[in-house]
Amino acid sequence: MNIRLRDFSVRKRLFLANFMMVAVPVCLLMLIGGLLLAALRFSGTAQQDILTALWPEKGSALTVQYAVSSLRVKAERKGPPKIKNFIEACRLLEALGIDVVVTQDDKIYYASPNANSTAVAERILHKYGSNPSVMVWDDEGFTFSYMSPRSRTVVMASGAVPFLAKDMIPGNDMKELWETALYALLAIAVILIVALGRYLSRLLSRQILEPLSSLQKAAAEIRKGNLDVPVEIEARDEFGRACQDFELMRQELKRSQDEREKYEKNRKELIAGISHDLSTPLTALKGYAGGILDGIANTPEKQRHYTEQIYQSADILESLVDSLFLFSKLDLGRVPFHLERVNIRDYFIDFTTEQRPFYAEKGLDLTLNTSGLKEDTFIQIDRMQFQRVIDNIFGNAVKYMDKTRGTMEISLYSRGERLFISFADNGPGVNETDLPKLFDSFYRTDPARSNVRKGSGLGLAIVRQIILAMNGTIRAESAAGGGLTIIIDLPLDKEH
């Protein structure tokens, strides 16, 4: 699993950055100190040699002080003195010409070779009295005495150690080398710390400011009314989730805007369609009524003809108003549906048996194909509304039939949990560009809408609303041999 820094929360990233800002300098300093100590250790240099090498201007003073401090610490241990604990410090002092004596309860545990322990003790006692702790380094030499109150161990040291003159201080290339290396390491550590801090600051700034900048840009575009600028943020932290929520809001606003524009366009088309389709029969009504009033229909035959035309125009108006009222109720969900379980195969067998003679008189021959369907196939439909769907589809086939005899093939088949009902005619068909618009309200393939008697353009829109209310879908396709195919898709009913 690929985990990136930007996938961490902002709180964790800030904590990690602060931790690294503190941890890295500490680790670097520890590394530098460890490297120095390791280099000195592996070079075989003792501690006192290290001190002498680094500060040669102190001469032998550092070595003497180091040895005296070591003897003082060793003397504090209880029990009889162990010579192996004292031997290193004693060797350092003896190399400088200082005699060392270690005693406890007047028993001598160690004395430098060729050293007279009694003479050393008397010299110190004579010069400084019975003072249990003394260390003097003057022109006469070096004198040291210490008695531990815990272990009663006494350490005495005496010798003639001259001071080191300044002009006798030797050059120290090793010290310069170590100083150069130390300064170089410190400079590298400072550069690394500054570089790391800058990198972390830029990284956090980029990961925090970039989402905010993208969010600000999208918000500015939305304020201008432009909902087409996406917020593209891949981070999964708080800023990423906020940007994702903002993007979802933008998409929802875009969808609402598109739907509003679509509804507005449909409303305008609906008003235009209603105005046009109402104006035609109203004009006919006005013309025929005016003909009667003006005395143009001056014979019983003309009067009857004018009256029939007025009746037909009124009938068209009534049909249009009824269709519009039904469409409005369906669109608002105010038409009650009484669904019942129906064996769809038996339903269409009965339908074609009863309606075949009726449509044959209108020049439309019906055929039924149920080979792709089991005998016991059930769906949930409202019989009255479903009948309205079938009547509308068959009515359109009759209205737009361009042949002496037309055909309508009804095919039933199922796929998975869905039932498909196909109505294929051999009529003039519809252009591919017009197929998606067939189920829009007031849409007719005749752009001039010259023949109102062929329909208002609401029939297939009502059909779609009814099918949608029964949890189905409907679409139109061009038939293989010409004509139009309408396919209804409904869910199967598996309940017993």
Coordinates of all heavy atoms in Angstrom, one line a residue, residues 172-225:
N172 N 50.9 22.2 17.0 CA 50.0 21.1 17.1 C 49.2 21.0 15.9 O 48.1 21.7 15.7 CB 49.1 21.3 18.3 CG 48.2 20.1 18.6 OD1 48.4 19.1 17.9 ND2 47.4 20.2 19.6
D173 N 49.7 20.3 14.9 CA 48.9 20.1 13.6 C 47.7 19.3 13.9 O 46.6 19.5 13.2 CB 49.8 19.4 12.6 CG 51.0 20.2 12.2 OD1 50.9 21.5 12.4 OD2 52.0 19.7 11.8
M174 N 47.7 18.4 14.9 CA 46.5 17.5 15.1 C 45.4 18.4 15.6 O 44.2 18.2 15.2 CB 46.9 16.5 16.2 CG 45.8 15.5 16.5 SD 46.2 14.3 17.7 CE 44.7 13.4 17.9
K175 N 45.7 19.3 16.5 CA 44.6 20.2 17.0 C 44.0 21.0 15.9 O 42.7 21.1 15.8 CB 45.2 21.1 18.0 CG 44.1 22.1 18.6 CD 44.7 23.1 19.5 CE 43.6 24.1 20.0 NZ 44.1 25.1 20.9
E176 N 44.8 21.5 15.0 CA 44.2 22.3 13.9 C 43.4 21.4 13.0 O 42.3 21.8 12.5 CB 45.4 22.9 13.1 CG 46.2 24.0 13.9 CD 47.3 24.5 13.1 OE1 47.5 24.1 11.9 OE2 48.0 25.4 13.6
L177 N 43.9 20.2 12.8 CA 43.1 19.2 12.0 C 41.7 18.9 12.6 O 40.7 18.9 11.9 CB 43.9 17.9 11.8 CG 43.2 16.9 10.9 CD1 42.9 17.4 9.5 CD2 44.1 15.6 10.9
W178 N 41.8 18.7 13.9 CA 40.5 18.4 14.6 C 39.6 19.6 14.6 O 38.3 19.5 14.5 CB 40.8 17.9 16.0 CG 41.2 16.5 16.1 CD1 42.4 16.0 16.4 CD2 40.3 15.3 15.9 NE1 42.4 14.6 16.4 CE2 41.1 14.2 16.1 CE3 39.0 15.2 15.5 CZ2 40.7 12.9 15.9 CZ3 38.5 13.9 15.4 CH2 39.3 12.8 15.6
E179 N 40.1 20.8 14.8 CA 39.3 22.0 14.8 C 38.7 22.2 13.4 O 37.5 22.5 13.3 CB 40.2 23.2 15.2 CG 40.5 23.3 16.6 CD 41.3 24.5 17.0 OE1 41.8 25.2 16.0 OE2 41.5 24.8 18.1
T180 N 39.5 22.0 12.4 CA 38.9 22.1 11.0 C 37.8 21.1 10.7 O 36.7 21.5 10.2 CB 40.1 21.9 10.0 OG1 41.1 22.9 10.2 CG2 39.5 22.1 8.5
A181 N 38.1 19.9 11.2 CA 37.0 18.8 11.0 C 35.8 19.2 11.7 O 34.6 19.0 11.3 CB 37.6 17.5 11.4
L182 N 36.0 19.6 13.0 CA 34.8 20.0 13.8 C 34.0 21.1 13.2 O 32.8 21.1 13.1 CB 35.3 20.3 15.2 CG 34.2 20.7 16.2 CD1 33.2 19.5 16.4 CD2 34.8 21.1 17.6
Y183 N 34.7 22.2 12.8 CA 34.0 23.3 12.2 C 33.3 22.9 10.9 O 32.1 23.3 10.6 CB 35.0 24.4 11.9 CG 35.5 25.1 13.1 CD1 36.8 25.6 13.1 CD2 34.7 25.2 14.2 CE1 37.3 26.2 14.3 CE2 35.2 25.9 15.4 CZ 36.5 26.3 15.4 OH 37.0 26.9 16.5
A184 N 33.9 22.0 10.1 CA 33.3 21.5 8.9 C 32.0 20.7 9.2 O 31.0 20.9 8.5 CB 34.3 20.7 8.1
L185 N 32.1 19.8 10.2 CA 30.9 19.1 10.6 C 29.8 20.0 11.1 O 28.6 19.8 10.8 CB 31.3 18.0 11.6 CG 32.2 16.8 11.1 CD1 32.6 16.0 12.3 CD2 31.4 16.0 10.1
L186 N 30.2 21.0 11.9 CA 29.2 21.9 12.4 C 28.5 22.7 11.2 O 27.3 22.9 11.2 CB 29.8 22.8 13.4 CG 30.2 22.2 14.8 CD1 30.9 23.2 15.6 CD2 29.0 21.7 15.5
A187 N 29.4 23.1 10.3 CA 28.8 23.8 9.1 C 27.9 23.0 8.3 O 26.8 23.4 7.9 CB 30.0 24.3 8.3
I188 N 28.3 21.7 8.1 CA 27.4 20.8 7.4 C 26.1 20.5 8.1 O 25.0 20.5 7.6 CB 28.1 19.4 7.1 CG1 29.3 19.6 6.2 CG2 27.2 18.4 6.6 CD1 30.2 18.4 6.0
A189 N 26.2 20.4 9.5 CA 25.0 20.2 10.3 C 24.1 21.4 10.2 O 22.8 21.2 10.0 CB 25.4 19.9 11.7
V190 N 24.6 22.6 10.2 CA 23.8 23.8 10.1 C 23.1 23.9 8.8 O 21.9 24.2 8.7 CB 24.7 25.1 10.4 CG1 23.9 26.3 10.0 CG2 25.1 25.1 11.8
I191 N 23.9 23.6 7.7 CA 23.3 23.6 6.4 C 22.2 22.6 6.2 O 21.1 22.9 5.7 CB 24.4 23.3 5.3 CG1 25.4 24.5 5.3 CG2 23.8 23.1 3.9 CD1 26.6 24.3 4.4
L192 N 22.4 21.4 6.8 CA 21.4 20.3 6.7 C 20.1 20.7 7.5 O 19.0 20.5 7.0 CB 22.0 19.0 7.2 CG 23.0 18.3 6.3 CD1 23.5 17.0 7.0 CD2 22.4 17.9 5.0
I193 N 20.4 21.3 8.6 CA 19.2 21.7 9.5 C 18.4 22.8 8.7 O 17.2 22.7 8.7 CB 19.7 22.2 10.8 CG1 20.2 21.0 11.6 CG2 18.5 22.8 11.6 CD1 20.9 21.4 12.9
V194 N 19.1 23.8 8.2 CA 18.4 24.9 7.5 C 17.7 24.3 6.2 O 16.6 24.7 6.0 CB 19.4 26.0 7.1 CG1 18.8 27.0 6.2 CG2 20.0 26.6 8.4
A195 N 18.4 23.5 5.5 CA 17.8 22.9 4.3 C 16.6 22.1 4.6 O 15.5 22.1 3.9 CB 18.8 22.1 3.5
L196 N 16.7 21.3 5.7 CA 15.5 20.4 6.1 C 14.4 21.3 6.5 O 13.2 21.1 6.1 CB 16.0 19.5 7.2 CG 14.8 18.6 7.8 CD1 14.3 17.6 6.7 CD2 15.3 17.8 9.0
G197 N 14.7 22.3 7.3 CA 13.6 23.2 7.7 C 12.9 23.9 6.6 O 11.7 24.0 6.5
R198 N 13.7 24.4 5.6 CA 13.2 25.0 4.4 C 12.3 24.1 3.6 O 11.2 24.4 3.1 CB 14.3 25.6 3.6 CG 13.8 26.4 2.4 CD 14.9 27.0 1.6 NE 14.4 27.7 0.4 CZ 15.2 28.3 -0.5 NH1 16.5 28.1 -0.4 NH2 14.7 28.9 -1.5
Y199 N 12.8 22.8 3.4 CA 12.1 21.8 2.7 C 10.8 21.5 3.3 O 9.7 21.5 2.6 CB 12.9 20.6 2.5 CG 12.2 19.4 1.9 CD1 11.9 19.3 0.6 CD2 11.8 18.3 2.8 CE1 11.2 18.3 0.1 CE2 11.1 17.3 2.2 CZ 10.8 17.2 0.9 OH 10.1 16.2 0.4
L200 N 10.8 21.3 4.6 CA 9.5 21.0 5.3 C 8.6 22.1 5.3 O 7.4 21.9 5.1 CB 9.9 20.6 6.8 CG 10.6 19.2 7.0 CD1 10.9 19.1 8.5 CD2 9.8 18.1 6.5
S201 N 9.1 23.3 5.4 CA 8.2 24.5 5.4 C 7.5 24.6 4.0 O 6.3 24.9 3.9 CB 9.0 25.8 5.7 OG 9.5 25.7 7.0
R202 N 8.4 24.5 2.9 CA 7.8 24.6 1.6 C 6.8 23.4 1.3 O 5.8 23.6 0.6 CB 9.0 24.6 0.6 CG 9.9 25.8 0.6 CD 10.9 25.7 -0.5 NE 10.3 25.7 -1.8 CZ 11.0 25.7 -2.9 NH1 12.4 25.6 -2.8 NH2 10.4 25.7 -4.1
L203 N 7.2 22.2 1.8 CA 6.3 21.1 1.6 C 4.9 21.3 2.2 O 3.9 21.1 1.6 CB 7.0 19.8 2.1 CG 6.2 18.5 1.9 CD1 6.0 18.2 0.4 CD2 6.9 17.3 2.6
L204 N 5.0 21.7 3.5 CA 3.7 21.9 4.2 C 2.9 23.1 3.6 O 1.7 23.1 3.4 CB 4.0 22.2 5.7 CG 4.4 21.0 6.5 CD1 4.8 21.5 7.9 CD2 3.4 19.9 6.5
S205 N 3.7 24.2 3.2 CA 3.0 25.3 2.6 C 2.3 24.9 1.3 O 1.2 25.3 1.0 CB 4.0 26.4 2.3 OG 4.6 26.9 3.5
R206 N 3.1 24.1 0.5 CA 2.5 23.7 -0.8 C 1.3 22.8 -0.6 O 0.3 22.9 -1.3 CB 3.6 22.9 -1.6 CG 3.1 22.6 -3.0 CD 4.2 22.1 -3.9 NE 4.7 20.8 -3.4 CZ 5.9 20.6 -2.8 NH1 6.7 21.7 -2.7 NH2 6.3 19.5 -2.4
Q207 N 1.4 21.9 0.3 CA 0.3 20.9 0.5 C -0.9 21.6 1.2 O -2.0 21.0 1.2 CB 0.7 19.7 1.4 CG 1.7 18.9 0.6 CD 2.1 17.7 1.4 OE1 1.8 17.5 2.6 NE2 2.9 16.8 0.8
I208 N -0.7 22.8 1.9 CA -1.8 23.5 2.5 C -2.4 24.6 1.6 O -3.6 24.8 1.5 CB -1.4 24.0 3.9 CG1 -1.1 22.8 4.8 CG2 -2.5 24.9 4.5 CD1 -0.6 23.3 6.2
L209 N -1.4 25.3 1.0 CA -1.8 26.5 0.2 C -2.4 26.1 -1.1 O -3.3 26.8 -1.7 CB -0.6 27.5 0.1 CG -0.1 28.1 1.4 CD1 1.1 29.0 1.1 CD2 -1.2 28.9 2.1
E210 N -1.9 25.1 -1.8 CA -2.4 24.7 -3.1 C -3.8 24.3 -3.0 O -4.6 24.7 -3.9 CB -1.5 23.5 -3.7 CG -0.2 24.0 -4.2 CD 0.6 22.9 -4.9 OE1 0.1 21.8 -4.9 OE2 1.7 23.2 -5.4
P211 N -4.3 23.4 -2.1 CA -5.7 23.1 -2.0 C -6.5 24.4 -1.8 O -7.6 24.6 -2.4 CB -5.8 22.1 -0.9 CG -4.5 21.5 -0.8 CD -3.5 22.6 -1.1
L212 N -6.0 25.3 -0.9 CA -6.8 26.5 -0.6 C -6.9 27.4 -1.9 O -7.9 28.0 -2.1 CB -6.1 27.3 0.5 CG -6.2 26.6 1.9 CD1 -5.5 27.4 3.0 CD2 -7.7 26.4 2.3
S213 N -5.8 27.4 -2.6 CA -5.8 28.2 -3.9 C -6.8 27.7 -4.9 O -7.5 28.4 -5.5 CB -4.4 28.3 -4.5 OG -4.3 29.0 -5.7
S214 N -6.7 26.3 -5.0 CA -7.7 25.7 -5.9 C -9.1 25.9 -5.5 O -10.0 26.2 -6.3 CB -7.4 24.2 -6.0 OG -8.3 23.6 -6.9
L215 N -9.3 25.8 -4.2 CA -10.7 26.0 -3.6 C -11.1 27.5 -3.8 O -12.3 27.7 -4.2 CB -10.6 25.7 -2.1 CG -12.0 25.5 -1.4 CD1 -12.7 24.3 -2.0 CD2 -11.8 25.3 0.1
Q216 N -10.2 28.4 -3.6 CA -10.5 29.8 -3.8 C -10.9 30.1 -5.3 O -11.8 30.9 -5.6 CB -9.3 30.7 -3.4 CG -9.6 32.2 -3.5 CD -8.4 33.0 -3.0 OE1 -7.3 32.4 -2.9 NE2 -8.6 34.3 -2.9
K217 N -10.1 29.5 -6.2 CA -10.3 29.7 -7.6 C -11.7 29.2 -8.0 O -12.5 29.8 -8.7 CB -9.3 29.0 -8.4 CG -9.4 29.1 -9.9 CD -8.3 28.4 -10.7 CE -8.5 28.5 -12.2 NZ -7.5 27.7 -12.9
A218 N -12.0 28.0 -7.5 CA -13.4 27.4 -7.9 C -14.5 28.2 -7.3 O -15.5 28.4 -7.9 CB -13.4 25.9 -7.4
A219 N -14.3 28.7 -6.0 CA -15.3 29.5 -5.4 C -15.5 30.8 -6.2 O -16.7 31.3 -6.3 CB -14.9 29.8 -3.9
A220 N -14.4 31.4 -6.7 CA -14.5 32.7 -7.4 C -15.3 32.4 -8.7 O -16.1 33.2 -9.2 CB -13.2 33.2 -7.7
E221 N -15.0 31.2 -9.4 CA -15.8 30.9 -10.6 C -17.2 30.7 -10.3 O -18.1 31.1 -11.1 CB -15.1 29.7 -11.3 CG -13.7 29.9 -11.8 CD -13.7 30.9 -12.9 OE1 -14.7 31.0 -13.7 OE2 -12.7 31.6 -13.1
I222 N -17.5 30.0 -9.2 CA -18.9 29.8 -8.9 C -19.6 31.1 -8.6 O -20.8 31.3 -9.0 CB -19.0 28.8 -7.7 CG1 -18.6 27.4 -8.1 CG2 -20.4 28.8 -7.1 CD1 -18.5 26.4 -6.9
R223 N -18.9 32.0 -7.9 CA -19.5 33.3 -7.7 C -19.9 34.1 -9.0 O -20.8 34.8 -9.1 CB -18.6 34.2 -6.8 CG -19.2 35.5 -6.4 CD -18.2 36.2 -5.4 NE -17.0 36.5 -6.0 CZ -15.8 36.0 -5.7 NH1 -15.8 35.0 -4.8 NH2 -14.7 36.4 -6.2
K224 N -19.1 33.8 -10.0 CA -19.3 34.4 -11.3 C -20.4 33.7 -12.1 O -20.9 34.1 -13.2 CB -18.1 34.4 -12.2 CG -16.9 35.3 -11.6 CD -15.7 35.1 -12.5 CE -14.5 35.9 -11.9 NZ -13.3 35.7 -12.7
G225 N -20.8 32.5 -11.6 CA -21.9 31.7 -12.2 C -21.3 30.6 -13.1 O -22.1 29.9 -13.8

